[in-house]
Amino acid sequence: QVQLVESGGGLVQAGGSLRLSCAASGSFSGFNDMAWYRQAPGKQRELVATITSGNSRNYADSVKGRFTISRDNTKFTVYLQMNSLKPEDTAVYYCNVVTRRWNGRDGDNYWGQGTQVTVSS
């Protein structure tokens, strides 16, 4: 089992910055893909950014150039640096990780509990 604890959310004015963290604990040897998703009220959950074990990154078009995903494999933590925040970035942000099996292939998928990000205009 893997437990994910997110932190760093809050209220910020448009144009401001926040840094989200998601720390993993429990029984695992490592992670393949790590990602951040978000869900705004009345909308479906959407992918924000992903980072592979080889540090390849992908971003949703809406956040490119403003958000940066990173990971620290020694701390089993994934981060999301969010700059130039806009009111439309307001959502609950969830981290998602995929464990790595002994053979390097994808294992189980886990979600964090979510952290609220609110951007005021």
Side-chain angles (χ1 to χ4, degrees), residues 16-70:
S17 298
L18 285 173
R19 188 191 193 211
L20 305 183
S21 299
C22 174
S25 62
S27 179
F28 53 86
S29 59
F31 299 108
N32 284 343
D33 288 0
M34 306 179 84
W36 287 95
Y37 288 74
R38 68 185 181 187
Q39 186 167 19
K43 295 188 177 181
Q44 290 189 330
R45 190 173 297 188
E46 64 174 356
L47 179 63
V48 175
T50 62
I51 184 167
T52 69
S53 56
N55 283 323
S56 293
R57 298 168 171 85
N58 280 292
Y59 298 93
D61 288 343
S62 58
V63 307
K64 281 181 182 177
R66 301 188 297 122
F67 290 11
T68 301
I69 189 170
S70 61

